[in-house]
Amino acid sequence: MEEVCLNSEPVFEEGDEYELEGDFIEHDNGTGETQRRKDPPAPTVGLEFDSFDEAYDFYNIYGKEQGFGIRVSNSWFRSKRKERYRAKLSCSSAGFKKKSEANNPRPETRTGCPAMVVIRLVDSKRWRIVEVELEHNHQVSPQIKRFYKSHKKMILAAKSAQPLPEPVTEIHTIKLYRTPVMDVGSNGYSHFTESEGLNSIDLSKHLELKEGDAHAVYNYFCRMKLMNPNFYYLMDLDDDGRLRNVFWADARSRAAYGYFCDTVAIDTTCLSNKYEIPLISFVGVNHHGQSVLLGCGFLGHESVENFVWMLRAWLKCMLGQPPQVLITDQCKPLQIAVSEVIPNARHCYCLWYIMQKVPEKLGGLKGYEAIKRQLHKSVYNSLKIAEFETSWAEMIKCHELGENRWLQILYEDRQMWVPVYLKDTFFSGMIPIQENESLTAFFDGYVHKHTSFKEFVDKYDLALHRKRMKEVVADLESRSSSFELKTKCNFEVQLCKVYTKEIFKRFQLEVEGMYSCFNTRQVSVNGPIITYIVKERVEVEGKEKEVRCYEVLYETTQVDIRCICSLFNYKGYLCRHALNVLNYNGVEEVPSRYILPRWRKDFKCRYLLHHGSSNIDVYNPVYWHNHLYKLALPVAEEGAQSEEHYKTTLQALEELLNKFHLVEDTLV
């Protein structure tokens, strides 16, 4: 363990992850010079120490700096071995003295102060803070020069450590403790506030925290880790011990990634829009087409180094399993980091983010409205690469945009964002492919430009709770509701029994759209592969309708089908053109290969049955949690089906928890 003197500069190695550290404050060293010193961190539930004495010293140092003394007010011992296993360390003003029978009793100095910490021996070797009360019922101040009995030995120890005749300087040394390893890697615990060191520091590459922000984030992490050992977080410190980056993911996010890791979007909206909090979110899509959070972070600076750290922290949290597709904003440092950390993922830029920048980048140009129409036509309406290339070249030539640097960069990166180049990539519906589609950030409505770190931590749980309640409601509606059929098509009847409610509604639009398709005809035959042309009347700019032709390939032996619009890869279900060709050939049901398991009502239950753990460490607590969590989900879903099921499930869970408590009591 590292030992750190509290009146010295921080001593860390780059990338170290520690459990606790203190804020920097100024103090006078007795010579008139102002130095930087670290204020001992406040006691927090979950902190651990190697011995009872270390726990006592930690609270004693904290009390000295705050202006109060401490004492051991209660101790619990095991009767047979007379071994202390629990203790209560209280403010010296706790309780009241017994009434004295003396003629001149000393005046009462205690106030019944409630401030205290309770520590408990865990695993027969570490002492953990299990209860904390920081508020006093009397005045405490480090400026009040009063010495308490508990502080006396600290001063004596400092004197014996100092060679005479130098003046006595009080030395406070504590250790930086790590919690038990509950993960593949350790979770880092550390917190710092923004501060100026003795030398000038480039704060632009560190998190700029306001007063109270660091404590709010740190305390939230400690509380969550104590409540759920599968809560994961890492903090990145630079050479000077200053906080640079933070990453965290709760247990539900980690479990959700096991189900929905195929396509992940990295939302950096707060970075690009210069929000007060440099929030970065990892977002996926669940079986209802809803956004699901897969991890969060605070990025100190938009550099390749920081993005690499964030991606590695995220992958480490997710047991090293990378996504198949990664969607990001058009950010060069992030692109480089992705290629380094997740080289095998299909990295794409989000079309919606790019199109949102059009007014800013092109709005001042002459003929802007015509340019925008031509750009949208090139991007959204091109079914073949040659069509896009021709349309783009016409736009550049017609409006004399050859020197526009932004358009030059877009064209250079076209294979990463233009839909016609991404037809072989599965996106789970996470990118818009039509002009009228949009995206909503996961924390939309909870974060604004001036939201502070402290405010965000307060809103974080609320946002996740509401999102998860929507998923629970959607699960119940999908399992118990009967869906309204709008046609007599067999495809609709088949998949209303399979898809979740929201996905079925989206697929239903394609079934209804079959009736806007006409003149389906065969144009060529190449062995078992038949090529069809399907015409469709589509609205243009919300008013006029034009006829478009879609090429559909149909393989007769395996009943394989592919449409040039590639809706199946973009959204995960067949398009109206493919359905039209299947219907034309007398196929009455959608082939099973085109019914993705991730959209099924029973997806999570089926996932458990079909995914083994041959490459996973079955003795890892993370595996235990994830496996139990997935097994418990079907129990919760069945228990919510009726009042009788609910009562039975609740009773069984309460009995199980009671058994756990009995086991814990026997170990104490």
Side-chain angles (χ1 to χ4, degrees):
M1 291 186 182
E2 291 284 335
E3 288 194 353
V4 179
C5 182
L6 288 188
N7 57 3
S8 67
E9 284 296 302
V11 182
F12 296 107
E13 292 297 325
E14 183 175 5
D16 282 355
E17 297 143 8
Y18 293 98
E19 176 175 331
L20 66 93
E21 242 304 331
D23 300 337
F24 292 94
I25 61 171
E26 293 185 352
H27 79 289
D28 193 292
N29 65 359
T31 62
E33 297 178 7
T34 299
Q35 296 181 340
R36 306 298 293 183
R37 185 163 67 106
K38 285 175 283 182
D39 185 17
T44 306
V45 171
L47 294 187
E48 294 184 353
F49 308 87
D50 281 347
S51 68
F52 172 84
D53 288 340
E54 287 183 359
Y56 179 92
D57 290 342
F58 168 80
Y59 193 45
N60 199 21
I61 292 170
Y62 172 76
K64 177 66 172 67
E65 294 300 325
Q66 297 296 315
F68 68 94
I70 72 166
R71 59 188 172 87
V72 181
S73 58
N74 292 92
S75 288
W76 289 261
F77 295 85
R78 293 189 174 94
S79 57
K80 294 181 179 179
R81 289 175 286 176
K82 294 184 179 180
E83 177 188 17
R84 188 185 346 231
Y85 69 89
R86 189 181 179 95
K88 182 178 181 180
L89 309 180
S90 301
C91 170
S92 57
S93 295
F96 297 95
K97 293 180 180 178
K98 293 181 179 180
K99 291 185 178 181
S100 174
E101 301 296 333
N103 293 329
N104 296 307
R106 292 183 180 181
E108 178 64 77
T109 57
R110 298 184 183 178
T111 63
C113 180
M116 59 83 197
V117 298
V118 176
I119 56 177
R120 178 180 176 180
L121 186 65
V122 293
D123 297 336
S124 300
K125 57 183 178 181
R126 297 187 310 279
W127 287 83
R128 177 185 298 167
I129 296 179
V130 296
E131 190 175 346
V132 174
E133 175 55 63
L134 298 180
E135 296 299 322
H136 297 259
N137 64 1
H138 57 94
Q139 184 179 6
V140 294
S141 172
Q143 278 73 44
I144 298 177
K145 301 299 182 182
R146 178 179 176 184
F147 290 94
Y148 294 86
K149 288 183 180 180
S150 64
H151 302 156
K152 185 176 181 180
K153 62 180 180 181
M154 297 194 317
I155 304 302
L156 292 176
K159 286 182 179 179
S160 63
Q162 293 287 339
L164 295 175
E166 293 181 6
V168 174
T169 301
E170 189 174 324
I171 301 295
H172 295 170
T173 302
I174 66 172
K175 293 183 179 181
L176 297 179
Y177 305 93
R178 300 177 188 271
T179 56
V181 177
M182 296 299 298
D183 220 322
V184 181
S186 61
N187 289 340
Y189 293 68
S190 174
H191 71 292
F192 297 87
T193 56
E194 176 186 341
S195 59
E196 297 178 6
L198 297 175
N199 302 316
S200 60
I201 300 168
D202 181 9
L203 288 176
S204 65
K205 294 187 178 181
H206 304 84
L207 292 177
E208 300 183 23
L209 306 176
K210 293 183 178 179
E211 183 178 357
D213 286 346
H215 283 291
V217 174
Y218 173 68
N219 289 338
Y220 174 77
F221 287 167
C222 285
R223 185 174 74 252
M224 292 303 297
K225 187 67 179 177
L226 185 68
M227 293 169 58
N228 193 324
N230 207 34
F231 181 87
Y232 183 100
Y233 71 95
L234 286 175
M235 292 189 171
D236 179 29
L237 308 174
D238 66 7
D239 289 332
D240 298 312
R242 294 174 176 85
L243 187 58
R244 189 163 48 187
N245 304 300
V246 180
F247 170 81
W248 75 95
D250 66 9
R252 288 180 178 268
S253 292
R254 303 182 76 182
Y257 186 75
Y259 295 120
F260 310 112
C261 63
D262 45 9
T263 305
V264 176
I266 301 179
D267 185 354
T268 54
T269 304
C270 292
L271 299 177
S272 57
N273 292 341
K274 308 300 180 185
Y275 278 28
E276 189 168 317
I277 56 169
L279 177 66
I280 178 171
S281 304
F282 296 84
V283 181
V285 169
N286 66 13
H287 51 312
H288 301 289
Q290 301 168 338
S291 295
V292 57
L293 190 66
L294 305 174
C296 276
F298 293 137
L299 199 75
H301 179 65
E302 292 184 68
S303 65
V304 173
E305 178 186 11
N306 284 2
F307 278 123
V308 165
W309 182 92
M310 189 68 67
L311 290 173
R312 285 177 175 165
W314 177 62
L315 274 187
K316 184 178 181 182
C317 172
M318 302 306 173
L319 306 182
Q321 181 182 3
Q324 299 170 21
V325 179
L326 205 57
I327 305 170
T328 72
D329 195 2
Q330 193 178 20
C331 172
K332 197 65 177 179
L334 181 53
Q335 179 190 359
I336 296 172
V338 169
S339 65
E340 178 179 335
V341 180
I342 318 177
N344 295 325
R346 179 70 163 96
H347 182 201
C348 308
Y349 291 151
C350 181
L351 170 61
W352 188 79
Y353 286 152
I354 291 175
M355 300 308 284
Q356 288 294 106
K357 296 177 183 177
V358 170
E360 172 193 347
K361 300 293 185 179
L362 306 178
L365 298 179
K366 181 180 179 181
Y368 165 69
E369 291 298 330
I371 295 173
K372 185 176 73 171
R373 283 195 300 271
Q374 183 67 27
L375 177 62
H376 280 227
K377 180 181 178 182
S378 302
V379 171
Y380 292 112
N381 295 352
S382 297
L383 294 175
K384 297 181 179 179
I385 291 176
E387 292 178 10
F388 170 79
E389 296 285 353
T390 301
S391 181
W392 184 277
E394 289 177 356
M395 176 187 70
I396 297 298
K397 181 179 180 180
C398 180
H399 299 282
E400 300 179 349
L401 300 172
E403 301 301 319
N404 187 286
R405 184 55 185 158
W406 186 64
L407 290 176
Q408 288 177 0
I409 294 173
L410 287 185
Y411 184 74
E412 291 169 2
D413 293 337
R414 62 193 181 280
Q415 294 186 7
M416 297 186 69
W417 66 277
V418 180
V420 73
Y421 289 95
L422 304 173
K423 290 188 174 185
D424 293 324
T425 305
F426 179 69
F427 288 103
S428 305
M430 292 197 70
I431 64 167
I433 57 171
Q434 297 177 357
E435 293 184 54
N436 59 354
E437 293 181 328
S438 63
L439 291 179
T440 302
F442 186 87
F443 289 106
D444 185 54
Y446 298 93
V447 177
H448 54 77
K449 196 172 185 68
H450 300 292
T451 299
S452 67
F453 288 85
K454 185 176 184 301
E455 287 178 293
F456 177 73
V457 169
D458 293 338
K459 294 179 178 179
Y460 174 83
D461 280 338
L462 177 62
L464 262 62
H465 174 71
R466 289 179 175 174
K467 297 279 187 179
R468 285 161 183 163
M469 283 305 298
K470 288 183 179 179
E471 180 176 341
V472 170
V473 171
D475 280 337
L476 291 174
E477 290 180 346
S478 296
R479 290 170 62 89
S480 59
S481 302
S482 57
F483 304 149
E484 178 187 358
L485 301 182
K486 298 184 178 180
T487 72
K488 295 181 180 181
C489 180
N490 289 334
F491 302 140
E492 188 181 16
V493 175
Q494 174 195 7
L495 292 181
C496 75
K497 303 172 185 176
V498 177
Y499 283 156
T500 59
K501 184 176 181 179
E502 177 59 30
I503 301 304
F504 175 71
K505 287 170 62 178
R506 299 179 187 181
F507 175 73
Q508 198 173 41
L509 292 176
E510 297 305 311
V511 175
E512 293 181 274
M514 290 172 61
Y515 297 97
S516 65
C517 299
F518 63 98
N519 197 23
T520 300
R521 59 188 177 90
Q522 177 181 314
V523 293
S524 66
V525 178
N526 184 10
I529 301 176
I530 305 174
T531 302
Y532 291 88
I533 293 295
V534 178
K535 294 184 177 181
E536 181 189 7
R537 294 186 181 89
V538 297
E539 287 189 356
V540 180
E541 298 182 0
K543 296 181 181 179
E544 300 179 4
K545 286 193 174 184
E546 69 176 32
V547 175
R548 291 182 185 168
C549 297
Y550 295 86
E551 187 178 275
V552 180
L553 301 181
Y554 178 60
E555 201 277 336
T556 56
T557 58
Q558 300 295 324
V559 196
D560 281 341
I561 193 161
R562 177 163 182 172
C563 178
I564 196 170
C565 77
S566 291
L567 184 77
F568 181 76
N569 280 346
Y570 294 139
K571 303 296 185 180
Y573 45 83
L574 287 180
C575 65
R576 59 195 64 185
H577 319 112
L579 294 174
N580 199 282
V581 170
L582 289 176
N583 186 60
Y584 182 86
N585 283 274
V587 179
E588 297 184 348
E589 289 192 342
V590 174
S592 59
R593 67 172 60 86
Y594 299 110
I595 304 174
L596 297 184
R598 73 169 346 273
W599 300 137
R600 298 179 67 103
K601 301 177 184 182
D602 57 353
F603 168 62
K604 292 184 177 180
C605 300
R606 294 168 63 91
Y607 180 91
L608 295 173
L609 297 175
H610 293 92
H611 287 74
S613 55
S614 57
N615 296 322
I616 296 178
D617 179 9
V618 296
Y619 299 103
N620 190 321
V622 176
Y623 166 75
W624 298 341
H625 180 279
N626 286 348
H627 191 59
L628 289 173
Y629 177 80
K630 292 171 183 176
L631 289 174
L633 280 175
V635 177
E637 292 176 351
E638 289 296 334
Q641 294 303 305
S642 67
E643 184 177 0
E644 183 180 353
H645 282 197
Y646 168 74
K647 290 180 179 179
T648 302
T649 305
L650 187 62
Q651 181 181 352
L653 291 175
E654 288 176 346
E655 290 174 356
L656 185 60
L657 288 174
N658 288 334
K659 289 182 180 179
F660 290 152
H661 294 155
L662 289 173
V663 172
E664 284 186 359
D665 292 340
T666 58
L667 296 176
V668 175

